[in-house]
Amino acid sequence: MLKFDEELFLKLVEDEGLSFRGQVESIVDDISNKGYSNIFLIGAGGTIAMMYPYEYILKSNSSINVYSEIAAEFMVMNHKHFSKDSVCIFASVSGTTKETVEAAQFCKDRGATTIGLVAEPNTPLTQIVDHCVCTGSEKHSFDTFFILLYMFVFRFMYNNNEFPQYEQFTEEVSLLPRGILNAVKAFDQKAEAFAIKHKDTDYHMLVGSGNLWGNAYSYAMCILEEMQWIHAKSIHAAEFFHGTLEIVEEDTSVVLLKGEDETRPLVERVERFAEKITKNLTIIDTKEFELDGISDEFRKHFAVSINWAVLSRISVYLERERNHSLDLRRYYRQMEY
């Protein structure tokens, strides 16, 4: 597969990523024993998008109060549910994301408990937070961060007497890297075909819902817009029929991200509409991928990881077909703004 080192993926995500389970459990158990009022999931750009699935999971499976907040807005909004008893979780691959670092310091200064997920060691975010899980590599960092967030969120739920299946769940988390790898292999030709077909397409609609809404938001903004300079819009399936449907035409590229949670019918409704209008409908459905050893009960949660991994295969082929490096930027971190 183009630009995919299977051995490195398994080393970073399976061997090293899963090894953080003990550290995560220790952090969560310590916080749970001391007590806390709520959880804030805070990020910027791709990392706030990464948090949205876990907010959805908590809201739909737990009584724990949870808020996902964009770092820059959070610091100026005077959030009335934030206090010294809040638990604040941040993620930054580089550990230097300006807004995220500032938000972590903001929370720390006000006495809240802070947790950071970071790839690069000895960076500003690692030095601010109370608890840091540092993966040590930017490669496959999102895949690893997703797995760490499963561990954090479901451990908090378990300690809140809401998730007795925790041991089974964590055993299945350990199978997820192999499931991701198999999904990537199964999807690779489709990813290449999409990139070849759409190398000159200048606008895409990304539609998602539930725990895949964050992926739709992130892929449109961080990959298509930031990394490929392609006009894109992320649309929540529940909102698609309140405006966006009017600009769908015969040649509009509509990409539907179908997961397996309770909101799947919302995406299916968009699908029924779009297939009548456009000839450029792409459906990426996590149900199509086999996940050996993973129960039907938990597939809906793991759809986040599977969907992101297969979308990432589209990215590398778009890079090749469009001769546009995923690392190329005109403005981001190139100038002051």
Side-chain angles (χ1 to χ4, degrees):
M1 291 186 291
L2 180 66
K3 296 183 72 172
F4 191 91
D5 184 327
E6 180 177 336
E7 184 177 339
L8 179 63
F9 172 82
L10 291 175
K11 176 180 182 292
L12 295 176
V13 182
E14 183 177 57
D15 296 343
E16 297 180 8
L18 294 173
S19 70
F20 292 109
R21 175 182 171 179
Q23 182 183 356
V24 170
E25 291 180 347
S26 178
I27 293 169
V28 175
D29 292 351
D30 180 59
I31 293 170
S32 299
N33 289 334
K34 291 177 181 177
Y36 62 96
S37 60
N38 50 39
I39 296 175
F40 279 77
L41 305 173
I42 301 173
T47 56
I48 186 58
M50 175 185 293
M51 299 300 189
Y52 290 148
Y54 300 92
E55 179 189 42
Y56 176 84
I57 287 169
L58 281 169
K59 281 184 173 180
S60 56
N61 293 274
S62 173
S63 62
I64 297 171
N65 292 319
V66 58
Y67 308 93
S68 59
E69 303 293 345
I70 301 170
E73 182 178 53
F74 169 74
M75 288 185 288
V76 298
M77 71 184 294
N78 191 28
H79 202 300
K80 294 300 184 182
H81 296 278
F82 171 73
S83 74
K84 64 179 179 56
D85 298 317
S86 298
V87 177
C88 303
I89 303 178
F90 305 86
S92 172
V93 174
S94 68
T96 63
T97 309
K98 181 180 178 182
E99 301 94 333
T100 304
V101 170
E102 290 178 353
Q105 188 67 61
F106 178 94
C107 295
K108 182 78 175 290
D109 290 344
R110 285 154 182 79
T113 300
T114 53
I115 301 170
L117 309 182
V118 186
E120 291 295 325
N122 303 315
T123 49
L125 186 58
T126 68
Q127 296 163 9
I128 292 172
V129 294
D130 299 307
H131 308 280
C132 186
V133 179
C134 185
T135 64
S137 174
E138 291 193 7
K139 290 283 189 180
H140 301 293
S141 54
F142 268 47
D143 295 309
T144 304
F145 283 3
F146 281 139
I147 285 177
L148 294 174
L149 285 165
Y150 290 131
M151 295 178 183
F152 272 107
V153 164
F154 284 92
R155 187 68 177 185
F156 273 115
M157 287 170 52
Y158 172 71
N159 287 348
N160 203 45
N161 298 315
E162 294 177 316
F163 194 65
Q165 316 98 304
Y166 178 78
E167 286 301 324
Q168 177 192 345
F169 179 80
T170 51
E171 287 176 10
E172 294 189 20
V173 169
S174 70
L175 302 175
L176 186 55
R178 297 279 173 169
I180 293 172
L181 180 58
N182 291 336
V184 162
K185 290 179 177 178
F187 186 75
D188 197 63
Q189 288 186 345
K190 292 180 180 179
E192 183 176 22
F194 179 94
I196 292 170
K197 177 180 179 180
H198 288 288
K199 66 183 180 68
D200 297 319
T201 299
D202 58 6
Y203 176 71
H204 296 276
M205 292 181 180
L206 274 290
V207 182
S209 66
N211 61 21
L212 293 190
W213 163 241
N215 286 6
Y217 177 73
S218 183
Y219 201 79
M221 177 174 62
C222 298
I223 308 300
L224 296 180
E225 291 182 336
E226 179 183 326
M227 298 184 182
Q228 286 295 294
W229 304 350
I230 298 172
H231 293 282
K233 182 181 182 183
S234 52
I235 310 106
H236 197 291
E239 287 286 273
F240 184 88
F241 294 99
H242 298 273
T244 303
L245 80 166
E246 289 296 338
I247 61 171
V248 179
E249 299 181 354
E250 185 178 61
D251 62 346
T252 305
S253 172
V254 179
V255 182
L256 303 185
L257 308 186
K258 292 179 71 173
E260 300 172 53
D261 62 47
E262 304 80 2
T263 69
R264 184 179 173 91
L266 302 178
V267 180
E268 291 176 332
R269 184 186 179 205
V270 178
E271 179 181 356
R272 290 192 295 271
F273 168 81
E275 63 187 6
K276 298 174 185 175
I277 310 298
T278 181
K279 294 180 179 178
N280 280 324
L281 175 62
T282 302
I283 301 169
I284 301 176
D285 187 351
T286 61
K287 267 194 174 181
E288 295 180 358
F289 301 107
E290 292 185 11
L291 299 178
D292 292 340
I294 292 177
S295 60
D296 291 342
E297 179 182 7
F298 300 141
R299 282 186 62 105
K300 65 180 182 179
H301 305 309
F302 297 145
V304 182
S305 293
I306 299 301
N307 176 263
W308 186 256
V310 299
L311 282 173
S312 298
R313 297 310 300 154
I314 292 176
S315 307
V316 296
Y317 286 114
L318 280 175
E319 177 182 51
R320 184 193 72 186
E321 293 300 314
R322 304 182 72 251
N323 192 29
H324 185 118
S325 170
L326 293 166
D327 297 320
L328 181 63
R329 304 290 187 275
R330 286 183 291 192
Y331 312 122
Y332 183 62
R333 301 199 179 205
Q334 304 302 310
M335 59 181 288
E336 290 295 324
Y337 45 80

